[in-house]
Amino acid sequence: MKHLNHIGLLMGLPILLSGCSLFGGNDTIGSLKSQETEESNLDFSDMNHHQVREEYQELLELVDDKFLKEQIERRIAGVSMAEGDHLQTSPENKPSKGYYRDAINSYIDILEKYPNSPDNAEVLYQLSKAYEMEGEPKNAEAMLKRLVALHPDYSGIAEAHFRLGDINFNNEKYKQAEFHYRTVTEANAPSLKLNAHYMLGWALYKRGLFDDALESFAYVLSVVLDEQSSQTLSNAEKPLVDDTLHSISLTLVNLGGAEKISDVKGLRNKTYIWQVYENLGAYYLEKNRYADSAATYQHFIASYPMDSRTPGMHSKLIAAYIKGAFAKDVLQAKQAYVAQYGMQSAYWAQASETLRADISSNLKPYLTELAAHFHAQAQAQAKLAGEKDAAKIKGADELNEKSAVSYASATQYYGEYLSSFPQSSDLAKQRYLKAEAHFEAKQYDQAAADYEIVSYQYQDKEFGNRSGYAAILAYQNRIAELEQNPKEKSHAQENAVASMLRFTERYDTDKRSPAVLTNAAEYLFSLNRYPQAIDVASKLISGNKALDKNLKQTAYGIIAHSYYQQKNYLEAEKNYDNQRQLLGKQHPQYVAVSERMATAVYKKAEGMMAAGQKLAAAEQQLRIKTIAPDSKVRVIAQYDAAVTLLAEKQWQPAITELKELRALYPQHELAAEFPRKLAYGYEQDGQLLPAAKTYDYLYANDKSADVKRDALFAAAGLYEKLGQLDTALEYYKTWARNYEQPFDNRMEARYHIALIYGQQNDERRKLYWLRRIVQGDASAGEMRTDRSRWLAAWANNEYGDYFAAEFNKRRLAANLERNLPLKNQSLQDAVSRYQLAAEYGLLEFTTQGSFKIARLYQQMANELQTLPVPEGMSEQDSAMFRELIAQQAAPMLELALSVYTSNVEQGWKGHFNQWIDDSFKALALLSPARFNKTEEQKRYGDEIR
């Protein structure tokens, strides 16, 4: 009895051949229904199929009439067909062969008995269905061929041809498929005609008859879209239209693209032609063929320049260029958009108000972008021209000409923006920029006019005073231009004076107003003619050896100020130093001049920083500690130097400066930043413990909740690196308890907690945090990231490894009756977790899960195969035991092969990782005839979606 129990257990062993989403499955035709047979006067309401069949059999024996016998036999076959449908679709039954065998035999018997019966067409049709349901497609095809050959007038002949078309198409017999689909299109079969045209298009496509395929697809569009021109597409029609448009795109790609669209007769003069262009453009974009996508939209724009959808297509054209990073093409496309649809264009004149609103939403950013682009381009060209001119290198004149053209484009687009959007909130800014462009292009009259509009008409708070002052500068530059033309120069000077007075009246509180008014004494300086101011002040000093000390230090101040305004900070620093030496340390102005000198040094350092001389700049900033140790700029300069040293990875010097700042200025407005940067410096210098302690301080004392939160997380990571796992674990758990955001850190905290528990062999707590990782990602909504999905996949994979380990602990040979269900449950749990990991769509875990699942099935099969025959069994029982073992192990090996193969197929698609390689190695051992050799695989292109 004990041996029989072993056998029973093996017979009940689940094979687990279903439910694995990794491996896919084959569709069935179980949804097909056989025709219902009409019942006569017999009452079958309380009978099952078998009983009904017996009633007909009894009736058959009582009837002598041949016709009646045939009808009864057909009904018996119909009952068998219905019974097969019932068995196939019943939720209590598994899909299996044999359900339709009685029906098949009955229909064959009828055909043999009544070869000339007029009802044989229906018999052949039902027989083909039965074969198809039984999983015998070749026999189904043979019956359909016989049907169309012998009964061309059969009422369902179109459906028979359609089914033959499908069979031939699926068998890659596209010419035969074309014949049958075309037959359906020519038949009186309204319900099949549209699908027949669609499939005819695909049959032609497969044969490379792309022009003919396009016409078939165009017919489908015309039927659906022409009929639905004023209605919304139904749920059935929309996917058909989408698939047809996609099919047209695939076909056009093979013919060269959008230029072929106009050759398709079925698409000419169609209102929905834009959908063809849009779908083709989107297809190219999806395939990263940005130029082809843009060319498609351009073809529509050129073909239908006044269409209401043309601006939208132009926007898609620009988007394609942006996605393809074709900066030059983006610029040109935006210029074309402005020219073609702008407010002065013919298109705008005929556009509806709704369309104008859509165009305006693009015009506004495009105009500002174009203006800014040409403005920046002009500045760069002018700068390079100046450098070439200074170095006496050829090309400066050509660059100046290009710069002038760029400035003209910039001012044009600024002007078009101002005239197109006169109510815009940034009107002052854009006119100010226009004025700047005029100024930089040396068009001082236009610049001054625009500056004064901003300052005195708009009275803008942000740009008002600077524009008023800029107008004075524009007039001043215009005066300088007219040095050789006294009459026009005099007129320009009058305009300048008027502007100065207007400025001082409107902006009397502006700090520059006194300088503007003191035009007599400090005219040159107040009007920013610094070279002349320096020249005059220098001559004052050099030409008067007995010059009054106060006048001399004032002259040095003017020279220093002038150099400072010229951004010549080195000379500014020297003259401020000369000034303060004359003043002496006890003078009330000494500290102020020292601060100005420190500011010049700071500005000089900024220039060096911009030039890439970062360490030298930091050295200059640290000089300020000596020049003006108590100045406001000292702390800022020292802090900036420390930040620069950190950026340049000069960790220890940076740490020294930050420690000094932290000690000397604990109440400074930047004091909170000192320990923050110090912690970072320690960490980068590899001083992990001081870094961790500093982060501890920040967590305990920083006033910023975000800094405290981040400091706690950073400290946890450092203690983990230091190997202080208990402390790290406590910090991570504190973080996890107290903070929900940022989401990324929350997920990382759970990840590290799980890792640490794993290192401590605390499986129970590790599993808990693995579940928290999975739950955290699942409930994240829009916060989900690639990293969170990776962590969730990792957690499920780790969970699967746990169950796999449990699986491996159980040995069937040790105690089959006890270990088999436990081992089987561990197998199911591991497979479930690996499947969940794979569902995140990450190749790493998809292939890893596949490999591990296959290995589990392989191990299960191997362990089954190596089970010893229980002692005391007879030879017959032993043979039965081994046979059952083989029966249960074989499907598992097949499944292992299938799963390993799914990984190898990833390799054939161009992917590769350890799990694909390991799968290939496993297959090489399991199936050396197929996999222990090199094969060349061929990959085909797009098929029907």
Side-chain angles (χ1 to χ4, degrees):
M1 181 63 69
K2 183 177 181 181
H3 306 321
L4 294 178
N5 287 337
H6 287 310
I7 295 172
L9 281 168
L10 290 169
M11 293 178 68
L13 180 64
I15 303 304
L16 302 174
L17 297 178
S18 62
C20 185
S21 61
L22 293 175
F23 319 129
N26 297 320
D27 293 334
T28 69
I29 56 172
S31 60
L32 297 174
K33 303 291 186 181
S34 64
Q35 289 186 334
E36 294 182 358
T37 57
E38 180 181 352
E39 299 299 327
S40 59
N41 296 326
L42 294 174
D43 183 9
F44 300 131
S45 58
D46 296 326
M47 298 182 184
N48 58 32
H49 293 94
H50 178 71
Q51 291 170 333
V52 172
R53 201 161 40 236
E54 286 184 343
E55 288 291 333
Y56 275 126
Q57 288 289 355
E58 291 178 8
L59 181 61
L60 184 63
E61 293 174 4
L62 299 175
V63 175
D64 294 327
D65 184 80
K66 183 177 181 182
F67 174 78
L68 290 177
K69 281 182 175 290
E70 179 188 350
Q71 296 304 312
I72 293 171
E73 289 179 7
R74 289 181 67 230
R75 292 192 180 215
I76 292 172
V79 172
S80 297
M81 190 72 171
E83 183 180 30
D85 288 345
H86 174 73
L87 293 172
Q88 182 78 353
T89 59
S90 174
E92 299 176 0
N93 297 328
K94 293 183 178 180
S96 175
K97 288 188 176 183
Y99 292 150
Y100 295 89
R101 183 53 57 191
D102 289 340
I104 291 171
N105 293 335
S106 294
Y107 284 130
I108 291 173
D109 187 58
I110 291 170
L111 291 174
E112 290 176 354
K113 287 183 178 180
Y114 312 101
N116 299 316
S117 173
D119 295 325
N120 281 353
E122 183 63 21
V123 172
L124 286 168
Y125 187 84
Q126 293 298 330
L127 180 55
S128 72
K129 277 194 172 183
Y131 274 128
E132 191 170 0
M133 299 296 285
E134 192 65 11
E136 297 180 21
K138 291 185 177 180
N139 287 332
E141 181 183 7
M143 293 305 102
L144 288 171
K145 286 182 177 179
R146 186 173 169 185
L147 171 59
V148 298
L150 298 177
H151 304 281
D153 297 324
Y154 172 53
S155 62
I157 196 69
E159 184 178 353
H161 276 291
F162 193 95
R163 289 174 61 194
L164 280 169
D166 283 350
I167 290 171
N168 281 289
F169 189 96
N170 291 333
N171 291 331
E172 300 182 356
K173 297 178 180 179
Y174 302 119
K175 187 172 183 180
Q176 296 91 319
E178 176 194 348
F179 167 79
H180 289 293
Y181 289 135
R182 195 178 297 280
T183 300
V184 179
T185 65
E186 296 168 357
N188 183 21
S191 63
L192 295 173
K193 191 170 185 177
L194 197 60
N195 286 333
H197 272 285
Y198 178 80
M199 291 307 301
L200 174 60
W202 268 106
L204 292 166
Y205 176 94
K206 291 295 187 178
R207 294 187 61 204
L209 303 175
F210 301 117
D211 291 299
D212 294 336
L214 277 175
E215 296 297 340
S216 288
F217 292 136
Y219 174 85
V220 175
L221 280 188
S222 68
V223 171
V224 178
L225 296 181
D226 283 350
E227 291 179 358
Q228 300 294 336
S229 59
S230 61
Q231 302 176 25
T232 301
L233 293 176
S234 68
N235 291 336
E237 290 168 336
K238 190 177 186 308
L240 176 61
V241 169
D242 292 343
D243 286 347
T244 303
L245 287 170
H246 180 70
S247 301
I248 289 174
S249 294
L250 291 177
T251 311
L252 287 170
V253 169
N254 283 278
L255 290 173
E259 293 183 357
K260 190 65 179 177
I261 295 175
S262 58
D263 295 337
V264 183
K265 296 178 182 179
L267 295 176
R268 292 175 185 170
N269 302 319
K270 297 296 184 181
T271 58
Y272 51 81
I273 189 66
W274 62 274
Q275 294 189 54
V276 176
Y277 282 92
E278 187 179 65
N279 192 279
L280 179 60
Y283 174 86
Y284 279 131
L285 196 63
E286 182 183 354
K287 300 301 181 183
N288 298 331
R289 294 174 62 174
Y290 306 113
D292 291 333
S293 177
T296 300
Y297 298 129
Q298 184 61 53
H299 194 276
F300 181 90
I301 294 167
S303 301
Y304 306 94
M306 304 303 288
D307 190 273
S308 63
R309 291 181 176 84
T310 302
M313 290 293 187
H314 209 126
S315 296
K316 293 180 182 293
L317 164 70
I318 293 170
Y321 281 138
I322 291 173
K323 192 171 183 181
F326 300 150
K328 183 177 180 181
D329 293 315
V330 171
L331 178 70
Q332 293 175 350
K334 288 181 178 179
Q335 287 181 276
Y337 189 100
V338 170
Q340 188 166 343
Y341 315 111
M343 294 185 183
Q344 304 304 317
S345 67
Y347 190 95
W348 180 271
Q350 56 86 48
S352 66
E353 288 301 319
T354 301
L355 189 52
R356 286 181 177 183
D358 291 338
I359 293 171
S360 295
S361 68
N362 289 322
L363 278 177
K364 196 169 186 180
Y366 289 174
L367 285 169
T368 55
E369 289 166 14
L370 290 169
H373 167 81
F374 284 106
H375 196 165
Q377 178 175 281
Q379 290 172 330
Q381 291 166 337
K383 180 182 179 182
L384 185 57
E387 292 172 354
K388 285 182 176 290
D389 188 58
K392 297 182 180 181
I393 301 174
K394 291 182 178 180
D397 292 340
E398 181 180 355
L399 280 169
N400 281 322
E401 291 175 2
K402 290 181 178 180
S403 175
V405 172
S406 297
Y407 276 123
S409 296
T411 55
Q412 173 197 335
Y413 286 119
Y414 283 131
E416 187 169 350
Y417 180 90
L418 294 169
S419 63
S420 299
F421 304 99
Q423 304 302 320
S424 178
S425 61
D426 63 341
L427 209 61
K429 176 183 178 181
Q430 297 304 321
R431 189 172 289 278
Y432 178 81
L433 292 172
K434 179 174 181 286
E436 290 280 272
H438 281 306
F439 187 96
E440 292 161 12
K442 300 182 180 180
Q443 299 169 347
Y444 299 117
D445 286 338
Q446 297 96 315
D450 280 319
Y451 281 134
E452 290 188 333
I453 289 173
V454 174
S455 184
Y456 306 116
Q457 289 186 25
Y458 296 160
Q459 297 186 8
D460 184 77
K461 292 182 179 180
E462 181 180 0
F463 298 97
N465 58 344
R466 75 169 83 169
S467 293
Y469 196 76
I472 296 173
L473 298 180
Y475 286 123
Q476 179 182 345
N477 280 279
R478 180 61 178 156
I479 291 168
E481 283 183 335
L482 299 172
E483 197 66 38
Q484 304 302 319
N485 191 333
K487 186 176 181 179
E488 290 189 22
K489 178 182 178 182
S490 177
H491 178 69
Q493 287 174 329
E494 290 176 3
N495 291 336
V497 170
S499 188
M500 291 176 189
L501 293 174
R502 199 175 185 184
F503 179 85
T504 57
E505 181 180 355
R506 176 71 181 82
Y507 305 105
D508 58 322
T509 60
D510 190 282
K511 63 181 180 180
R512 292 166 294 190
S513 286
V516 174
L517 287 172
T518 56
N519 192 31
E522 296 179 352
Y523 177 81
L524 294 173
F525 181 79
S526 66
L527 292 179
N528 299 335
R529 296 176 66 175
Y530 305 120
Q532 294 90 335
I534 293 170
D535 183 59
V536 171
S538 297
K539 288 180 180 178
L540 179 64
I541 295 171
S542 61
N544 297 276
K545 294 183 179 180
L547 186 65
D548 179 82
K549 186 176 181 180
N550 288 332
L551 291 176
K552 192 173 185 180
Q553 64 89 11
T554 301
Y556 277 126
I558 292 173
I559 295 170
H561 290 339
S562 298
Y563 276 126
Y564 187 92
Q565 294 298 325
Q566 286 185 310
K567 300 182 180 180
N568 187 341
Y569 301 117
L570 177 62
E571 291 300 323
E573 175 195 347
K574 291 178 181 178
N575 284 280
Y576 281 131
D577 194 33
N578 290 335
Q579 185 183 19
R580 72 173 190 158
Q581 287 180 26
L582 286 171
L583 291 171
K585 293 183 179 181
Q586 304 304 317
H587 194 281
Q589 293 296 317
Y590 182 85
V591 173
V593 174
S594 295
E595 287 193 356
R596 293 190 193 106
M597 178 180 173
T599 302
V601 173
Y602 186 83
K603 288 290 187 180
K604 179 179 68 174
E606 283 185 335
M608 297 171 70
M609 190 74 69
Q613 303 171 19
K614 297 183 178 180
L615 289 176
E619 183 179 348
Q620 290 297 315
Q621 289 170 330
L622 292 176
R623 284 182 57 221
I624 295 173
K625 293 197 298 181
T626 303
I627 295 170
D630 297 324
S631 64
K632 292 181 179 180
V633 75
R634 175 257 168 91
V635 178
I636 297 172
Q638 188 176 359
Y639 174 72
D640 287 351
V643 171
T644 299
L645 290 170
L646 287 175
E648 295 300 302
K649 301 181 180 181
Q650 301 296 309
W651 312 121
Q652 192 53 52
I655 290 169
T656 299
E657 298 301 330
L658 289 166
K659 287 173 67 177
E660 182 178 81
L661 285 169
R662 189 181 183 188
L664 294 178
Y665 302 99
Q667 303 303 319
H668 193 272
E669 61 183 358
L670 290 174
E673 293 295 330
F674 303 154
R676 297 172 186 175
K677 293 294 188 293
L678 184 58
Y680 174 77
Y682 278 137
E683 183 176 1
Q684 296 301 315
D685 195 37
Q687 300 182 48
L688 302 186
L689 187 57
K693 296 298 184 183
T694 307
Y695 281 125
D696 282 343
Y697 169 84
L698 289 171
Y699 177 62
N701 298 285
D702 202 287
K703 294 181 180 180
S704 168
D706 290 345
V707 171
K708 291 169 70 72
R709 177 198 62 204
D710 295 342
L712 178 62
F713 190 84
L718 290 171
Y719 283 120
E720 184 178 6
K721 290 179 181 178
L722 287 165
Q724 299 182 26
L725 298 184
D726 290 339
T727 303
L729 186 61
E730 177 187 352
Y731 279 31
Y732 279 129
K733 290 172 69 175
T734 300
W735 199 101
R737 284 194 301 268
N738 296 337
Y739 301 106
E740 288 293 321
Q741 298 296 333
F743 170 71
D744 291 342
N745 283 7
R746 181 177 69 185
M747 293 297 291
E748 293 294 338
R750 294 176 179 180
Y751 170 64
H752 284 280
I753 292 170
L755 283 178
I756 293 172
Y757 275 132
Q759 293 175 47
Q760 295 177 341
N761 297 319
D762 191 337
E763 290 295 330
R764 181 177 63 84
R765 288 186 173 86
K766 176 184 177 181
L767 294 176
Y768 168 79
W769 286 100
L770 290 177
R771 292 194 296 272
R772 292 297 303 278
I773 292 170
V774 174
Q775 292 166 0
D777 174 74
S779 61
E782 295 182 354
M783 292 188 295
R784 292 185 77 197
T785 64
D786 290 343
R787 175 63 177 172
S788 73
R789 283 188 282 269
W790 185 94
L791 290 173
W794 172 85
N796 276 303
N797 189 72
E798 289 287 307
Y799 226 115
D801 289 347
Y802 166 76
F803 286 122
E806 292 296 310
F807 170 87
N808 289 322
K809 289 178 183 178
R810 310 292 179 183
R811 295 299 174 185
L812 296 181
N815 190 328
L816 178 61
E817 185 172 356
R818 180 174 62 85
N819 288 342
L820 178 57
L822 295 174
K823 192 175 186 71
N824 184 45
Q825 184 61 49
S826 296
L827 173 62
Q828 293 183 54
D829 291 340
V831 169
S832 175
R833 283 293 177 171
Y834 289 139
Q835 288 174 347
L836 289 173
E839 287 176 1
Y840 290 87
L842 302 173
L843 184 68
E844 172 187 354
F845 294 109
T846 301
T847 54
Q848 185 177 170
S850 295
F851 175 81
K852 291 180 177 179
I853 289 171
R855 184 171 60 186
L856 288 174
Y857 284 128
Q858 184 182 358
Q859 290 173 347
M860 188 69 163
N862 290 341
E863 195 165 346
L864 284 171
Q865 290 173 334
T866 57
L867 274 176
V869 176
E871 295 180 2
M873 272 194 174
S874 66
E875 183 176 346
Q876 182 179 359
D877 286 346
S878 297
M880 182 181 297
F881 182 87
R882 284 191 291 269
E883 182 180 354
L884 286 172
I885 287 291
Q887 290 175 355
Q888 300 305 315
M892 288 190 176
L893 282 176
E894 291 177 3
L895 185 53
L897 282 168
S898 175
V899 181
Y900 282 137
T901 302
S902 71
N903 262 5
V904 170
E905 288 174 350
Q906 291 292 331
W908 294 338
K909 292 177 181 178
H911 304 296
F912 185 79
N913 60 27
Q914 169 195 345
W915 310 106
I916 294 173
D917 186 45
D918 289 347
S919 297
F920 196 96
K921 292 175 181 177
L923 285 172
L925 296 174
L926 289 173
S927 183
R930 181 181 177 191
F931 290 97
N932 199 15
K933 60 181 181 179
T934 301
E935 291 187 344
E936 182 178 1
Q937 299 294 325
K938 187 173 183 181
R939 188 172 181 271
Y940 292 88
D942 291 285
E943 298 295 341
I944 304 176
R945 291 199 310 174

